């Protein structure tokens, strides 16, 4: 496990940041009166996660690989980080929708039904805790793969001394 302590640390940090972001969203009204545009604000959190990946993989390069890292090593480290973030994700969701914003789904359903975008049954299925867990896990994994590949490309050692 010591080999992955940097990834674990940054997965834990990203979890705390995600909870803080949800708290910020709630306090700015994106879980209440601005819930119709909440998804736009939520997507900005991707920039925070990209920064986490850059810092985490740079730290891995410097402290674990002694400043010489291949793309493959950096990508693998990014994938471990992605898996750890995805494992912590249900905790973020649970805290968000039970403690920070317990009325989130009711508020979202009200807006969707008012706009006539979906039937009540479809909206209840789509905008549910279980579905958000599934969507979030898929989004974490897909964003993590792409981010890991891109960050690995930029932090790899270009001309390692052999």
């Amino acid at each position: 496990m010591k080999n992955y302590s940097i990834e674990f640390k940054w997965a834990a940090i990203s979890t705390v940041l995600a909870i803080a972001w949800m708290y910020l969203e709630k306090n700015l009204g994106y879980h209440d009166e601005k819930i119709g545009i909440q998804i736009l604000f939520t997507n900005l959190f991707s920039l925070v996660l990209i920064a986490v990946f850059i810092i985490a993989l740079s730290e891995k390069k410097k402290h674990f690989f002694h400043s010489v890292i291949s793309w493959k090593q950096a990508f693998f480290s990014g994938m471990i980080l992605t898996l750890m973030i995805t494992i912590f994700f249900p905790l973020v969701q649970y805290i968000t929708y039970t403690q920070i914003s317990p009325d989130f789904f009711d508020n979202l359903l009200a807006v969707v039904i008012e706009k006539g975008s979906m039937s009540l049954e479809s909206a209840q299925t789509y905008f549910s805790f279980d579905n958000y867990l599934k969507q979030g896990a898929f989004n974490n994994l897909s964003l993590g793969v792409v981010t890991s590949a891109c960050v690995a490309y930029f932090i790899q050692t270009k001309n390692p001394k052999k």
Side-chain angles (χ1 to χ4, degrees), residues 14-28:
S14 74
T15 299
V16 171
L17 290 172
I19 292 168
W21 188 271
M22 291 296 117
Y23 186 75
L24 176 67
E25 277 188 11
K26 171 68 174 167
N27 285 323
L28 292 176

Side-chain angles (χ1 to χ4, degrees), residues 6-20:
I6 292 170
E7 291 88 347
F8 182 82
K9 175 180 95 172
W10 284 101
I13 289 169
S14 74
T15 299
V16 171
L17 290 172
I19 292 168

